[in-house]
Amino acid sequence: MSSQNSSTEETHNRDKEQPFIEHLTELRSRLLRVFIAIGVAFVLLIPFANVIYEFISLPLRELLPEGSTMIATEVASPLLAPFKLTIIASIFLTIPYILHQAWSFIAPGLYQHERRLAVPLLASSVLLFYLGVAFAYFVVFPLLFDFFTKIGPTDVAIMTDINKYLDFVLKLFLAFGSAFEIPIATVLLIWSGVASVDSLKAKRPYIIVICFVVGMLLTPPDIISQSLLAIPMWLLFEGGLFFGKMITQRTSETTNH
């Protein structure tokens, strides 16, 4: 009898281990596809590495005083800076595919109503991240660099290191791309029950203050530049409240029926 119980327990353990191994195999397969996609994008972009860097540095180069230029303070910087930027650009371009692979991996474990909500959330998060990066490049960078190039002493030549510049703009891209995810974060808070629409509305004055503090930290110290970041962040929060309210109403209607 004990041998039969032992055999049954071993079979049960094997059955539990099998799905776990299958999940690991699938995860490895999807990670491999992601790396291949990034590699393909990198191979396609590497011939244009210098062109991409020129495009990224254009907002600063246009505002440099006459006679000033960007410099490389390290021997390998002219090669490594465009190379590093091309890797980042490859990841940036393949974000939709990366999220598709992540979605394909987790989707089987979700309920039907969760899948219906997750798909638009994933698509919206990608679009909002791209919009945040575009906002930083076309709106914030010209303001920032115009301020930085004019505030310094007139007898100091401005010659920015290309590596330092790249690190600076990548941080801002990440900051603004993340800031534009506010509606997604708001909807998820409401959908998961961590917060309600009413409780977030009650915290609106604090959130507006936080938006302006973030705007103050990421932009030049003038009210116009701060408002260009703070007001979109606030509007994005309001958009998250609007869609969060729609989701809760639809969920309650579905439950009542």
Side-chain angles (χ1 to χ4, degrees):
M1 186 71 177
S2 60
S3 62
Q4 290 179 350
N5 290 337
S6 176
S7 177
T8 303
E9 185 176 348
E10 289 178 2
T11 303
H12 179 67
N13 290 336
R14 279 198 300 270
D15 291 340
K16 290 175 63 178
E17 290 174 0
Q18 192 65 28
F20 179 72
I21 294 174
E22 290 176 359
H23 286 315
L24 285 180
T25 303
E26 183 182 1
L27 178 61
R28 183 185 64 180
S29 174
R30 297 198 179 278
L31 287 175
L32 182 61
R33 293 176 190 174
V34 166
F35 285 122
I36 291 174
I38 294 173
V40 170
F42 177 78
V43 170
L44 294 175
L45 291 177
I46 194 63
F48 308 99
N50 291 331
V51 176
I52 296 171
Y53 194 93
E54 289 175 4
F55 175 75
I56 293 296
S57 62
L58 185 61
L60 176 60
R61 290 188 292 108
E62 285 185 333
L63 296 170
L64 286 175
E66 187 177 352
S68 296
T69 182
M70 300 186 74
I71 61 173
T73 57
E74 299 176 1
V75 175
S77 291
L79 171 66
L80 294 181
F83 184 84
K84 177 181 176 181
L85 177 59
T86 305
I87 294 176
I88 302 297
S90 302
I91 297 173
F92 182 79
L93 288 177
T94 53
I95 283 177
Y97 182 76
I98 293 171
L99 289 178
H100 170 71
Q101 291 299 318
W103 164 250
S104 300
F105 181 72
I106 65 174
L110 299 177
Y111 293 108
Q112 187 64 33
H113 68 281
E114 292 175 333
R115 294 183 189 180
R116 285 198 299 266
L117 181 61
V119 171
L121 281 179
L122 282 172
S124 301
S125 65
V126 175
L127 177 61
L128 287 170
F129 185 83
Y130 285 159
L131 285 176
V133 171
F135 182 81
Y137 181 84
F138 291 105
V139 179
V140 177
F141 284 4
L143 291 171
L144 276 176
F145 299 145
D146 183 60
F147 175 79
F148 289 153
T149 54
K150 291 179 179 178
I151 195 174
T154 55
D155 58 343
V156 175
I158 301 174
M159 289 184 285
T160 304
D161 178 68
I162 59 175
N163 260 326
K164 299 293 184 182
Y165 175 82
L166 179 59
D167 292 339
F168 178 77
V169 298
L170 289 179
K171 288 176 183 177
L172 283 184
F173 280 153
L174 181 60
F176 278 86
S178 301
F180 271 61
E181 298 294 328
I182 289 175
I184 305 299
T186 305
V187 169
L188 287 176
L189 285 173
I190 296 170
W191 180 49
S192 62
V194 174
S196 65
V197 175
D198 292 334
S199 67
L200 289 176
K201 283 183 177 179
K203 296 180 176 65
R204 181 182 282 130
Y206 304 103
I207 292 172
I208 293 175
V209 171
I210 291 172
C211 290
F212 275 92
V213 170
V214 173
M216 178 186 66
L217 295 174
L218 294 180
T219 61
D222 64 87
I223 190 63
I224 296 176
S225 301
Q226 293 172 17
S227 300
L228 283 173
L229 176 59
I231 292 176
M233 289 176 64
W234 171 47
L235 294 177
L236 288 167
F237 168 73
E238 296 294 337
L241 285 180
F242 174 77
F243 288 108
K245 185 177 181 180
M246 287 180 55
I247 290 171
T248 52
Q249 288 177 346
R250 187 172 298 177
T251 302
S252 62
E253 290 174 1
T254 303
T255 304
N256 292 334
H257 285 87

